[in-house]
Amino acid sequence: MKILLVAVNAKYIHSNPAVFSLKACTGAYSSHVQIAEFTINQAPAFLLQEIYKKQPDVIAFSCYIWNRTLIGQLIGDLHKILPDTDIWAGGPEVSYDPYETIKEWRLRGVLAGAGEGSFSFLVAAYVQGKKDSLPKVLTTANTPRLAFDDIPFWHQDMEMPKNRIIYYESSRGCPFSCSYCLSSIEKRMEFRSTERVCEELAFFLAQKVPQVKFVDRTFNCNKKHALPILQYLLLHDNGITNFHFEITAGLLDEDYFALLKQMRPGAVQLEIGVQSTNPQTIQEIDRNMDFAKVAGAVRRILSWNNIHVHLDLIAGLPYEDFQSFQASFNDVYALRPMQLQLGFLKVLKGSAMEARAPKYSLVSSSQPPYEVLSTKWLSYAQICRLKQLEEVFEIYYNSGQFTHTLELLLPYFASPFAMYDSLAGWFAAHSLFGILSSRIRKYEILLEFATSRI
């Protein structure tokens, strides 16, 4: 019996921790499970050929917003070339409405929700010749649910990949209820024991991997869990490994600050979701955020010059019109984070945002990643304008290559937003979008823009 777990990642540098975790939980039957990792940038025909070569009896796809369309295309052709192969799917893109997906893709079934226990149950049924007893939808309600600490540390059984991000998970779930996020649907939170986490991080430190990215939705939501982990990393720093955490700045207190201040430059990277500084917007999306407190925490951390800070904004949220988004952008830009990501609202299936879409006149793409097209407050033309601004912002600010020039230019514009909006307009007027320019050419373009405006 050959069971193939298929991951289709967004980029080569990414990996799919889910498929490795699933295989690790199959115990004595793990020899029946193989893993195939691809990317969405590879030709569908190549992926189809590679899967076909393995001649699997069962295929299980890991489905997300970035690969759903491609996986649907692959499954349609796999039914034709491997007609006797059972095909399953799992992941957030198929968990909300599994029966509809089963019908659409003609699947044998779907693994909905946390999949380690369900996949172990599935593999055992196939190996033991009991596949006909499997229900169409496997969930934690009809299969064993593994405790978080019972999931093996699968990293130690594989060669550490070079030039790829290593993902690690110390908690699951989120205590918050942001309306655009699927993590708010399931209120359950699980934590891997601090002792186990520290033992496992010791493995990465010993291997001297460049970066470990925690996929915890809010790493610092439980101080008793997070603080000892940071203390361990401070005491056992190897001088090389960087650890990336997604946190809520409003939960930081003096104990956190005292630890973070001592970290080696480059040891820790923090991602903080601001999303908007409009109080009405924050309230409407069910977030509890005091931007003044967040800004104070960010400024304090940045003043130490030892921690990379990444801040996030989301365009297309309720009550955020073009002027309001400008204000949010300017508020966050004033903090001068190392990176500021301008994201666009994704209306995920099953989220509260999807349910409230009619209230907001919210229109989104029918295809993954279900991105906002317009709202009651923001037109599609304005979304397009922000998209162009995002592109030049990535080139000139987030690259970190033009810092001094940008600061020199800023006083000539009414606001930071006005400067980048004007630069995006320059790109559009000179047909520069869609052209891959060298670094030198980017400097030349910025010079041409500056001389035209000063």
Side-chain angles (χ1 to χ4, degrees):
M1 178 62 59
K2 186 185 295 184
I3 300 170
L4 184 66
L5 277 167
V6 179
V8 186
N9 304 321
K11 297 179 181 178
Y12 171 76
I13 62 169
H14 297 168
S15 60
N16 185 309
V19 293
F20 291 97
S21 184
L22 293 177
K23 179 177 179 178
C25 292
T26 56
Y29 297 132
S30 64
S31 61
H32 294 276
V33 180
Q34 295 183 11
I35 292 173
E37 280 196 284
F38 306 103
T39 79
I40 59 173
N41 300 310
Q42 293 173 300
F46 172 77
L47 273 62
L48 193 69
Q49 292 170 22
E50 292 301 302
I51 294 172
Y52 177 80
K53 287 177 188 177
K54 297 182 184 299
Q55 289 292 298
D57 301 295
V58 183
I59 303 172
F61 284 97
S62 181
C63 303
Y64 300 86
I65 54 176
W66 61 81
N67 64 20
R68 191 186 199 280
T69 300
L70 176 56
I71 287 175
Q73 178 182 343
L74 289 173
I75 289 175
D77 288 337
L78 285 168
H79 282 308
K80 300 172 184 176
I81 62 174
L82 292 172
D84 298 323
T85 299
D86 284 356
I87 301 178
W88 292 74
E93 264 302 286
V94 298
S95 292
Y96 170 63
D97 195 355
Y99 290 102
E100 184 62 31
T101 305
I102 290 170
K103 180 180 177 182
E104 177 187 353
W105 286 350
R106 294 183 290 131
L107 300 174
R108 172 61 180 83
V110 161
L111 285 73
E116 284 88 358
S118 299
F119 186 71
S120 178
F121 185 80
L122 179 150
V123 171
Y126 273 98
V127 175
Q128 296 170 9
K130 300 177 181 178
K131 69 174 186 176
D132 292 338
S133 65
L134 290 169
K136 287 284 186 183
V137 178
L138 299 180
T139 70
T140 54
N142 59 16
T143 62
R145 180 171 189 140
L146 296 181
F148 202 7
D149 265 357
D150 291 338
I151 296 173
F153 179 61
W154 47 266
H155 297 82
Q156 63 189 8
D157 299 323
M158 62 181 290
E159 183 179 350
M160 288 293 97
K162 296 180 180 178
N163 304 316
R164 300 181 74 184
I165 298 172
I166 292 173
Y167 296 97
Y168 180 78
E169 185 177 36
S170 78
S171 66
R172 285 184 176 178
C174 183
F176 304 113
S177 302
C178 304
S179 62
Y180 53 81
C181 183
L182 289 180
S183 296
S184 64
I185 296 176
E186 187 174 355
K187 302 302 180 183
R188 180 188 181 106
M189 278 213 73
E190 295 179 277
F191 295 90
R192 206 159 175 83
S193 68
T194 302
E195 294 76 13
R196 284 210 62 178
V197 171
C198 292
E199 290 173 5
E200 292 163 358
L201 296 184
F203 173 80
F204 297 129
L205 290 166
Q207 295 287 317
K208 296 183 178 179
V209 301
Q211 185 182 56
V212 176
K213 188 168 185 177
F214 276 63
V215 294
D216 304 37
R217 300 309 302 154
T218 307
F219 172 71
N220 65 326
C221 67
N222 183 326
K223 185 176 177 180
K224 291 181 179 179
H225 173 77
L227 205 63
I229 295 172
L230 291 174
Q231 180 71 47
Y232 181 85
L233 295 179
L234 175 64
L235 295 175
H236 296 85
D237 178 34
N238 63 7
I240 295 173
T241 306
N242 167 269
F243 292 89
H244 177 109
F245 301 99
E246 188 171 339
I247 68 163
T248 294
L251 295 179
L252 296 175
D253 60 15
E254 291 304 320
D255 293 329
Y256 280 114
F257 289 131
L259 266 177
L260 292 171
K261 188 176 182 180
Q262 299 177 66
M263 292 289 184
R264 164 184 59 84
V268 168
Q269 184 169 313
L270 301 178
E271 181 174 351
I272 300 168
V274 178
Q275 320 312 11
S276 171
T277 64
N278 181 330
Q280 190 175 10
T281 297
I282 293 299
Q283 181 178 4
E284 184 66 21
I285 62 176
D286 304 323
R287 280 177 70 82
N288 181 16
M289 184 198 71
D290 179 347
F291 180 67
K293 185 175 182 180
V294 170
V298 170
R299 288 192 184 98
R300 188 170 177 182
I301 294 169
L302 290 174
S303 72
W304 306 327
N305 296 313
N306 66 332
I307 293 175
H308 178 103
V309 176
H310 173 133
L311 302 182
D312 296 327
L313 283 174
I314 298 178
L317 294 172
Y319 297 103
E320 187 97 280
D321 59 17
F322 197 75
Q323 288 68 38
S324 172
F325 187 79
Q326 288 185 53
S328 290
F329 177 92
N330 290 330
D331 288 341
V332 177
Y333 189 90
L335 301 177
R336 296 301 194 275
M338 284 75 171
Q339 278 198 304
L340 171 52
Q341 180 177 340
L342 307 185
F344 291 80
L345 177 64
K346 296 170 178 58
V347 186
L348 303 178
K349 295 178 180 178
S351 67
M353 186 65 70
E354 183 190 44
R356 300 174 190 174
K359 173 184 174 183
Y360 307 141
S361 300
L362 172 55
V363 179
S364 59
S365 173
S366 57
Q367 299 299 316
Y370 316 114
E371 204 165 77
V372 61
L373 297 174
S374 65
T375 71
K376 187 184 296 186
W377 303 273
L378 206 59
S379 70
Y380 179 64
Q382 290 171 327
I383 290 283
C384 292
R385 187 172 167 185
L386 292 177
K387 282 278 188 181
Q388 291 185 333
L389 185 147
E390 177 207 18
E391 188 169 336
V392 299
F393 192 77
E394 284 294 316
I395 294 171
Y396 287 101
Y397 184 89
N398 283 340
S399 69
Q401 298 171 353
F402 307 88
T403 306
H404 299 296
T405 307
L406 293 173
E407 285 298 320
L408 183 66
L409 281 174
L410 192 55
Y412 293 92
F413 295 86
S415 69
F417 184 93
M419 181 175 74
Y420 291 102
D421 187 43
S422 181
L423 180 55
W426 173 270
F427 263 64
H430 294 81
S431 303
L432 296 171
F433 286 113
I435 297 175
L436 189 61
S437 300
S438 67
R439 184 171 176 178
I440 291 176
R441 179 58 187 143
K442 291 171 186 173
Y443 275 108
E444 291 173 345
I445 292 169
L446 190 57
L447 177 61
E448 292 164 5
F449 166 73
T451 54
S452 74
R453 294 294 190 270
I454 296 177

